[in-house]
C-alpha cells in the first residue's frame, strides 16, 4: 500500500499545478487593477446633432454644485482619473459654450459659480399706458429687432377704457429700443389716437391673451412672414378660454386668424418661438393639474400641433405654494434657456423669474435654484409686484436686452393690506362696461402697469471665477470644429491660461497658452510660437482653464 500515492494527495497536487499556470497567464497590469482604479464610464453625453446634447455628461464621480444662494464655492474635487476615450463632444464653430450646467465640465477646483441678474435700465419704464385711454401696458407679447426695417418692434397687451376692447394687442416701434412710438394704424377702425391696436376681442375673431410674435424668415410665403399664437376665447360677456390658436400676417399689423382652436389642452399663458435646434415651431404653455405647470407642443407647419407633454414643474426645494406660472424659452449657446416665471402663491403672491436650462427642451433644471434672475422692484418702484417678460432677449452689441412688464398690484388672491393698486378683476369689469365698438374717452387715471428694459452682458448668465489662490475648470473630451479659441472673460487684474490635455486627461507637452490678461466679450487665446496651434490637430482633447483673480463667462472656437 505504501508504494501508491493516495488519491487525495494527487488531486491536491493537480489543483496547485492548474492555479500556478493560470496565475502566470494574468498580465501584471491586470492583476494590479482595483475597482477604484477602473475606468469611470460617462453617463449619456451622446449628441443628437452637433448642437444638441443629451443631459448629463459629467463624470459619475462628479459631485453636484451646492445650490444655496446667493453664490456657491465649489469644493476641491479629486483629480480626474485617467480613463479610456469616450465619444468626444463636438464644439461647433461660433457656438458659445455657457456655464448653465456641468454637461461639458469634467471637474472644477476652487471655483465659484455666480448667477448674474440683468441691470434694470435707469430710464425705466420705456413704455407706459396712455392716460384715460389704455387700461394696461403688459408684456404678454414680444419685443424684437427687425433687421430689414432696421428698427425695434413691440407687440404688447392692453385694453381700451370704457369699451368692449378689454383684450387687445397693440403695436409700437423704436429706433434705439429705449424711446418708443405708438403709430396710428388702420387695422381697427374708429380708434382715438394713438390708433395702434392690431387685434382685439371681439372685433378680431376670438382674440385672447397673446403668447408671442415672431418674424419667420423660413416660410417662403410672404403672407405668413409674421406668426402669432394666442388664447381662443368665446364671445362677450363669457369670454371663456377654449384653447389656443394662431394667426399670420405679412406686416405684423394686419392679421389673419386661423379661425378655430388648434391646441385645446393649452388654456392659458404661454410662449411661442421657432426652435432652430429641432427645426420646428414650439409652444410652452400652461398645464393645470392641481397647480400651474408648463407643457410643450411642436408643429412642423404651424397648423397641426403635437399632443402637449408636461416638461417643467416646481421642485421640492421651492417654498410651499410656489407654482411655475409660465416659461419663456429661447436658444443660446446650442442649448435651451428658460425664463421661469414663479408665482409665490402661498406667500407673497409675487411673480418673479428664475433661470432654467435644458439640453433637449424637455428636461429642465433651474440654474442656481432659489436665486432670482429678474426680481420685482423695491419700495417706490414701478415694477413693485408682478413681472412678465418678452419671449426672447434682443442682442444689442455686447449686451442682451430683456424687455419685461411690471405692475403695481399683486396677483389676485392676496389677502394682506399691501395689495397695491386696483385689482385686475375690478378693472376688467370697468373696461367692458359699455356695449359700443367705438373708442370713447373714459374717466381713468393712474399707472398700474408699464414695460421696462434690463440689460445683461453677452453670455453673462453665469460666470465661473477664482481669486488669486487660483482655480481650474477642465472640460470633458471635446472635438473642436475650428482652430481659434475665444473667451468672454474678465481678467485684467489677474490672468487666465488654457492648457490642452489629451482625451485621457494627460497634458500635451508645450500646449499651454500665453496668459489672457484683459476684459472683453471676445478675447482670442494666443499660444507660444514654439507650440504652434494645438487645436489645429482636429483630435479629441480636453481644455483646462486656470483662473487667477479672473472670471470666465463662456468660451468657443472660431
Amino acid at each position: 500500500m505504501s508504494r501508491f500515492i493516495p488519491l487525495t494527495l494527487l488531486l491536491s497536487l493537480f489543483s496547485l499545478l492548474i492555479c500556478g499556470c493560470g496565475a502566470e497567464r494574468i498580465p501584471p497590469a491586470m492583476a494590479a487593477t482595483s475597482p477604484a482604479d477602473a475606468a469611470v464610464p460617462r453617463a449619456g453625453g451622446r449628441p443628437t446633432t452637433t448642437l444638441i446634447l443629451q443631459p448629463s455628461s459629467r463624470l459619475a464621480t462628479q459631485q453636484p454644485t451646492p445650490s444655496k444662494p446667493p453664490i456657491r464655492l465649489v469644493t476641491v474635487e479629486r483629480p480626474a482619473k485617467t480613463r479610456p476615450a469616450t465619444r468626444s463632444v463636438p464644439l461647433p464653430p461660433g457656438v458659445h459654450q455657457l456655464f448653465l450646467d456641468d454637461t461639458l465640465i469634467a471637474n472644477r477646483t476652487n471655483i465659484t459659480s455666480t448667477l448674474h441678474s440683468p441691470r434694470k435700465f435707469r430710464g425705466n419704464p420705456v413704455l407706459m399706458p396712455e392716460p384715460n385711454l389704455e387700461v394696461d401696458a403688459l408684456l404678454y407679447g414680444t419685443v424684437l429687432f427687425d433687421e430689414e426695417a432696421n428698427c425695434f418692434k413691440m407687440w404688447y397687451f392692453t385694453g381700451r377704457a370704457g369699451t368692449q376692447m378689454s383684450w387687445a394687442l397693440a403695436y409700437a416701434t423704436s429706433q434705439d429700443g429705449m424711446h418708443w412710438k405708438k403709430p396710428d394704424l388702420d387695422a381697427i377702425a374708429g380708434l382715438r389716437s394713438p390708433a395702434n391696436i392690431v387685434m382685439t376681442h371681439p372685433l378680431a375673431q376670438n382674440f385672447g391673451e397673446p403668447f408671442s410674435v415672431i418674424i419667420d424668415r423660413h416660410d417662403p410665403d410672404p403672407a405668413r412672414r409674421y406668426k402669432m399664437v394666442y388664447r381662443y376665447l368665446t364671445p362677450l360677456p363669457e369670454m371663456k378660454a377654449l384653447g389656443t390658436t394662431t394667426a399670420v400676417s405679412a406686416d405684423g399689423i394686419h392679421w389673419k386668424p386661423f379661425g378655430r382652436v388648434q391646441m385645446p389642452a393649452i388654456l392659458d399663458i404661454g410662449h411661442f418661438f421657432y426652435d432652430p435646434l429641432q427645426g420646428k415651431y414650439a409652444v410652452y404653455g400652461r398645464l393645470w393639474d392641481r397647480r400651474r405647470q408648463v407643457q410643450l407642443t411642436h408643429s412642423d407647419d404651424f397648423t397641426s400641433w403635437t399632443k402637449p407633454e408636461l416638461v417643467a414643474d416646481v421642485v421640492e426645494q421651492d417654498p410651499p405654494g410656489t407654482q411655475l406660472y409660465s416659461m419663456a424659452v429661447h436658444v443660446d449657446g446650442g442649448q435651451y434657456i428658460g425664463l421661469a416665471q414663479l408665482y409665490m402663491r402661498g406667500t407673497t403672491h409675487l411673480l418673479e423669474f428664475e433661470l432654467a436650462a435644458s439640453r433637449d427642451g424637455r428636461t429642465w433644471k433651474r440654474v442656481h435654484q432659489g436665486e432670482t434672475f429678474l426680481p420685482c422692484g423695491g419700495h417706490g418702484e414701478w415694477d413693485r409686484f408682478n413681472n412678465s417678460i418678452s419671449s426672447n432677449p434682443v442682442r444689442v452689441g455686447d449686451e442682451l436686452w430683456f424687455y419685461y412688464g411690471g405692475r403695481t398690484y399683486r396677483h389676485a388672491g392676496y389677502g394682506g393690506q399691501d395689495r397695491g393698486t386696483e385689482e385686475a378683476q375690478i378693472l376688467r369689469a370697468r373696461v367692458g362696461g359699455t356695449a359700443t365698438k367705438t373708442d370713447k374717452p373714459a374717466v381713468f387715471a393712474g399707472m398700474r402697469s408699464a414695460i421696462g428694459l434690463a440689460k445683461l452682458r453677452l453670455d453673462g448668465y453665469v460666470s465661473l471665477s477664482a481669486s488669486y489662490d487660483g482655480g481650474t475648470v477642465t472640460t470633458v473630451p471635446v472635438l473642436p470644429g475650428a482652430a481659434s479659441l475665444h473667451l468672454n472673460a474678465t481678467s485684467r487684474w489677474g490672468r487666465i491660461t488654457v492648457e490642452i490635455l489629451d482625451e485621457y486627461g494627460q497634458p500635451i507637452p508645450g500646449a499651454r497658452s500665453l496668459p489672457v490678461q484683459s476684459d472683453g466679450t471676445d478675447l482670442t487665446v494666443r499660444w507660444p510660437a514654439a507650440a504652434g496651434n494645438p487645436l489645429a490637430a482636429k483630435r479629441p482633447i480636453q481644455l483646462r482653464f486656470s483662473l487667477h483673480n479672473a472670471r470666465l463667462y463662456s468660451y468657443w472656437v472660431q
Side-chain angles (χ1 to χ4, degrees):
M1 296 290 294
S2 61
R3 289 179 300 174
F4 297 94
I5 301 175
L7 179 61
T8 56
L9 181 59
L10 283 173
L11 291 174
S12 299
L13 291 173
F14 186 72
S15 295
L16 288 174
L17 180 62
I18 291 177
C19 292
C21 294
E24 291 175 359
R25 290 192 178 97
I26 299 176
M30 292 180 61
T33 300
S34 68
D37 296 326
V40 181
R42 293 180 48 76
R46 184 174 64 254
T48 57
T49 71
T50 57
L51 294 181
I52 306 173
L53 302 173
Q54 296 298 330
S56 183
S57 59
R58 291 171 289 182
L59 293 177
T61 56
Q62 173 93 5
Q63 299 299 317
T65 305
S67 56
K68 296 181 180 180
I71 59 175
R72 288 72 56 90
L73 183 65
V74 179
T75 55
V76 176
E77 300 176 355
R78 292 173 291 176
K81 292 180 173 63
T82 299
R83 61 190 187 281
T86 60
R87 178 176 296 183
S88 58
V89 178
L91 294 184
V95 177
H96 294 208
Q97 304 301 324
L98 309 175
F99 298 114
L100 304 179
D101 59 24
D102 285 348
T103 297
L104 297 188
I105 296 178
N107 63 67
R108 48 184 178 174
T109 302
N110 202 33
I111 290 292
T112 300
S113 175
T114 306
L115 175 72
H116 299 279
S117 295
R119 306 178 312 278
K120 294 182 178 180
F121 177 49
R122 295 181 65 179
N124 278 343
V126 297
L127 188 139
M128 296 177 62
E130 297 296 314
N132 297 318
L133 182 63
E134 290 182 313
V135 173
D136 274 310
L138 299 174
L139 203 46
Y140 290 160
T142 300
V143 179
L144 52 79
F145 184 78
D146 186 346
E147 295 180 356
E148 292 185 356
N150 195 33
C151 72
F152 292 82
K153 295 182 177 180
M154 177 191 296
W155 292 263
Y156 64 96
F157 187 47
T158 186
R160 289 288 171 115
T163 76
Q164 289 186 340
M165 290 181 286
S166 57
W167 301 74
L169 181 69
Y171 176 76
T173 61
S174 173
Q175 294 300 312
D176 60 6
M178 295 173 285
H179 303 88
W180 290 85
K181 296 180 179 180
K182 302 174 182 179
D184 286 325
L185 306 170
D186 61 355
I188 305 294
L191 297 179
R192 284 197 298 131
S193 183
N196 64 327
I197 292 180
V198 297
M199 286 192 78
T200 184
H201 187 95
L203 303 184
Q205 192 176 44
N206 301 97
F207 177 78
E209 286 177 333
F211 285 12
S212 313
V213 175
I214 68 168
I215 300 179
D216 187 3
R217 307 294 184 194
H218 305 86
D219 196 323
D221 185 354
R224 294 162 50 92
R225 183 67 64 238
Y226 291 79
K227 292 181 171 65
M228 174 171 56
V229 174
Y230 63 91
R231 283 212 294 172
Y232 188 98
L233 303 179
T234 59
L236 286 168
E238 185 183 34
M239 295 183 72
K240 179 182 178 181
L242 298 182
T244 301
T245 188
T246 65
V248 296
S249 171
D251 56 8
I253 298 172
H254 303 89
W255 291 89
K256 180 181 179 181
F258 185 78
R260 60 179 174 82
V261 173
Q262 293 167 272
M263 293 160 268
I266 299 178
L267 299 175
D268 208 340
I269 182 173
H271 293 271
F272 152 65
F273 78 116
Y274 180 79
D275 182 352
L277 303 184
Q278 301 287 340
K280 300 176 183 292
Y281 303 99
V283 171
Y284 286 85
R286 176 177 295 169
L287 171 66
W288 277 91
D289 183 12
R290 293 167 293 134
R291 60 178 178 269
R292 295 169 175 88
Q293 301 165 309
V294 172
Q295 54 186 343
L296 169 64
T297 177
H298 283 116
S299 175
D300 293 314
D301 57 7
F302 202 60
T303 299
S304 300
W305 296 81
T306 61
K307 182 180 179 181
E309 58 178 309
L310 175 65
V311 294
D313 198 356
V314 293
V315 295
E316 294 181 358
Q317 292 82 1
D318 287 314
T322 302
Q323 298 185 12
L324 183 55
Y325 204 81
S326 72
M327 188 163 65
V329 177
H330 65 280
V331 170
D332 197 356
Q335 62 182 299
Y336 299 88
I337 298 178
L339 303 173
Q341 187 183 28
L342 294 180
Y343 173 34
M344 311 303 176
R345 188 171 187 269
T347 52
T348 62
H349 285 258
L350 297 183
L351 285 162
E352 297 183 307
F353 287 90
E354 289 191 15
L355 203 62
S358 174
R359 292 282 172 169
D360 61 4
R362 288 178 169 83
T363 305
W364 290 89
K365 183 177 181 182
R366 218 86 62 72
V367 179
H368 282 235
Q369 170 78 35
E371 297 182 44
T372 303
F373 178 69
L374 184 60
C376 291
H379 293 177
E381 299 295 331
W382 66 277
D383 55 349
R384 182 70 185 92
F385 289 130
N386 193 335
N387 286 349
S388 56
I389 202 161
S390 176
S391 295
N392 54 273
V394 180
R395 178 174 176 176
V396 181
D398 290 338
E399 294 180 323
L400 296 175
W401 288 14
F402 293 83
Y403 289 89
Y404 71 102
R407 309 182 208 185
T408 56
Y409 59 91
R410 297 181 194 263
H411 195 282
Y414 174 74
Q417 296 298 315
D418 186 22
R419 67 182 59 185
T421 53
E422 199 170 8
E423 288 189 10
Q425 288 83 349
I426 299 173
L427 195 59
R428 286 298 179 197
R430 176 192 295 176
V431 171
T434 68
T436 63
K437 294 184 179 180
T438 58
D439 197 4
K440 296 180 179 180
V443 179
F444 174 73
M447 203 287 292
R448 298 175 357 107
S449 61
I451 296 171
L453 168 64
K455 302 179 180 181
L456 184 71
R457 177 194 181 108
L458 183 67
D459 299 345
Y461 299 99
V462 173
S463 67
L464 301 182
S465 62
S467 188
Y468 284 104
D469 55 349
T472 61
V473 181
T474 305
T475 70
V476 300
V478 295
L479 184 62
S484 180
L485 180 62
H486 297 250
L487 310 180
N488 182 338
T490 300
S491 59
R492 181 182 178 188
W493 305 109
R495 69 182 185 276
I496 298 177
T497 55
V498 184
E499 187 176 9
I500 306 299
L501 315 178
D502 64 21
E503 59 185 325
Y504 296 92
Q506 301 303 309
I508 297 176
R512 181 186 293 271
S513 75
L514 301 174
V516 177
Q517 296 177 295
S518 185
D519 296 346
T521 57
D522 188 355
L523 306 175
T524 303
V525 177
R526 310 292 182 186
W527 307 93
N533 187 341
L535 271 69
K538 296 183 179 181
R539 60 179 175 178
I541 59 171
Q542 291 179 263
L543 302 172
R544 178 184 290 164
F545 301 95
S546 296
L547 284 67
H548 295 265
N549 195 40
R551 190 178 298 275
L552 181 62
Y553 296 92
S554 66
Y555 68 93
W556 68 97
V557 293
Q558 192 70 53

